[in-house]
Amino acid sequence: MRICLETAGADRGLLVLDEDGAPFVRSAATTTAVSLERTPLDAAPDIARVVVGHVRRTGDMVVLDDARRSAFAAHAQASPCPVKSVLAVPIQRPDRAVGVLYLENTLVVDAFSLERVRSLDLLSGHISVALENSLLFEDRRRGELATQLLADASSALVESLDYAATLARVAQLAVPVLADMCAVDVVEDGQLRRMGVAHVDPAQEALMFEAGASYLDPGSPHPVVQVLRTGRAWLESEVDDALLHRLTRGPREAAIGAALGVRSAMVVPLFARGRTLGAMSFVSRQPGRHTARDLTLAQELGRRAAMAIDNARLYAESQASVQVRDQFLSVASHELRTPLTSLSMTVEALLDHTIPATPDNLRRTFSIARRQIARLTHLVDELLNVSRITAGRLALELDDVDLAAVVRDVVQRFAGEASRTGTQVALHVTSVVGRWDRTALDQVVTNIMANALKFGAGKPIDLTVEAINGTASLVVADRGIGIPSDRIPHIFERFERAVSARQYGGLGLGLYIARAIIEAFGGSIEAMSPGPHEGATFTVRLPRGRVEGPP
Ligand SMILES: Nc1ncnc2c1ncn2[C@@H]1O[C@H](COP(=O)(O)OP(=O)(O)OP(=O)(O)O)[C@@H](O)[C@H]1O
Ligand SMILES: [Mg+2]
C-alpha cells in the first residue's frame, strides 16, 4: 500500500478484496500508517464505497480530477476530509475480478496525472499476481487449519463417553480457530440447556452461561431457537446493535450480547440419527469474521459433535437402564421370596404337625396359602405381561365392554383389602360401553386401584367413570403419599418406582403394563399430584371404538 500511495501521489488509500462475494477492506493506508484490519466495505467513507461499488460493477478504472465536481460530488463532500482527487483501479485476474485499489488525495485536484495512472495500472497487474499467490497461500493455510481442527475434534471426541465432559470439550475445540467464543446448547427432557461454553478469555464464560439461561425458550427470536426449529444453519457476519435488539427479547439480553462483543456469529444444528439434539454457536468480536466457508467447517464440526453427544447420551442411558435392571432383579427376587417363604412355612407347619390339623386351623392355614399363591401368581403374570409387551405380542380380543361394570368388579375384588386398611372407596360411575378387551381393561383398573390402596395411606379413594366428548374417562383419586413432581414423568416406565423398596412392595411394572394396554386401545393415561402427602390422581382416556349396538 505504501508503494501504491507513493507511486500515485495519494494521501489515503484502501485495498478492497472480494471474499465469498462480499467486499472487505483488507488494508487502509495513509502516508504515515498502514492498517491490516479486515472490515466490511460498508464501514468505509461514503465516496470510497460508491466509487468502489462502481468499479466492481463495471470493471472500469475511475479517475476523478476534481471529485467535488464529479458525479460522485455529494459523497466526496460528505467524507470526513473532503476529497479532491480519486483514483480507483480494478484488480483483475484473467478469469475474474479480485478487488479494487482505491486512492484519494484530499489536498489537491488533478493529483493523478496520466503517467501516474499508467504506472498504477501496471502496478495493479503485479498486485493481482501477488494477491493471487497470497490468497492461494491463505487458502492452503485455512485448508490445513480446517483439516487439523476436524482431526483434533475426531480424536478429542472419542476420548471419553462422559456426557458432560464431551459437551465441554466440543465447545473448547472451536476456540480460537473458528471463533472467539463457542456455546453448545442441548435439548434435554424437552428443554433447551446451555451445557458447554468456551471463550478466548475464560473470565467471560460465566456471562455466556448467563446469556444462555436468559434466551433458551421456544418463543425467543434468538438464532439458536430458530436453528432448532428449522434444522438449518444460520450465519450473520455483520452483527450490529440493531440486529442484536431484533434477535433478543429485552434490554438485558441485548446488553449481555453487547458486553460479549458479538459482531459476527454462526449457529449450526447438532443433528444425529434424524433428530436435532441441539445447536452449536460460534461467535466473534470482529465484524465479518465468519464466511460461508467457515460455516461449512462449523457444520462439519457440528456433525462430529452431534455424533459424540449422541454416543455419550446412549451410553449414559444404557448405564442407567442396566442400573435400573440390576435394582429390579434384587427387588424382584425379594418380592418373589416373601410369599414363597410364608407359603413354605405354612405347609411345613402342617406337615410337622406344629399346628394341629383341626378344621379351623386347616381353613386358616389354607386361606393364608391361597393369598400367597395369589400374590405369586400376580407377580409371575406381571412378568409374563411385560415380556409380551416388550415382544409386541399383546393380544387383545375386542368385545363390547362396560367400563363402569369392570370398575365395579375390581372394587368388589379389593373390598377385603380396603376394609383391612380402613379405606373408604366411593364410586361415581355411569355406564360407558366401548370396544375393548375385558381382561386387559380389568388389568388396567386393577393396577391403578392396587396403587391407590397401597399408596393411599388408608384415606378415602374416589373412582369416577363417565363419557366425555365421546371418549370414556376413568379418574382414580386418592389422598395418600403423593408423587414428587420430578418422578411423575418416569413412573410409567418399566421398573421405575418413586418409593423405597423397603417401605413398599412392588416391581414397578403395574403402571407400565397399564399404559401399554391403554395405548394399544389408542388411549392415554396421566398422573397428577400436588406434591408429597397430597394424594395422586390418575386419569385414563379411552376412545370407545366402534360399538356394536342393536340394529
Ligand atoms: N396412587 C399413587 N400414589 C403415590 N405413588 C404412586 C401411586 N401410583 C403409583 N405410584 C408411584 O409409581 C410407582 C410405579 O407404580 P407401579 O404400579 O408401576 O409400580 P409398583 O406399584 O411399585 O409395583 P407393581 O405395581 O409392579 O407391583 C410406584 O412405585 C409409586 O412410587
Ligand atoms: Mg403398582
Side-chain angles (χ1 to χ4, degrees), residues 396-419:
L396 298 176
E397 278 177 35
L398 299 190
D399 205 349
D400 286 359
V401 181
D402 183 357
L403 178 59
V406 173
V407 168
R408 266 192 230 101
D409 280 356
V410 173
V411 169
Q412 185 63 40
R413 226 178 301 132
F414 278 106
E417 196 175 330
S419 77

Side-chain angles (χ1 to χ4, degrees), residues 101-117:
L101 175 64
Y102 169 89
L103 301 166
E104 308 176 329
N105 195 311
T106 54
L107 302 174
V108 291
V109 295
D110 284 329
F112 304 119
S113 66
L114 200 58
E115 287 98 275
R116 286 184 159 171
V117 171

Side-chain angles (χ1 to χ4, degrees), residues 382 447 450-451 454-455 509-511:
E382 260 199 338
N447 291 2
N451 285 349
K454 178 160 54 167
F455 304 114
L509 291 176
L511 289 179

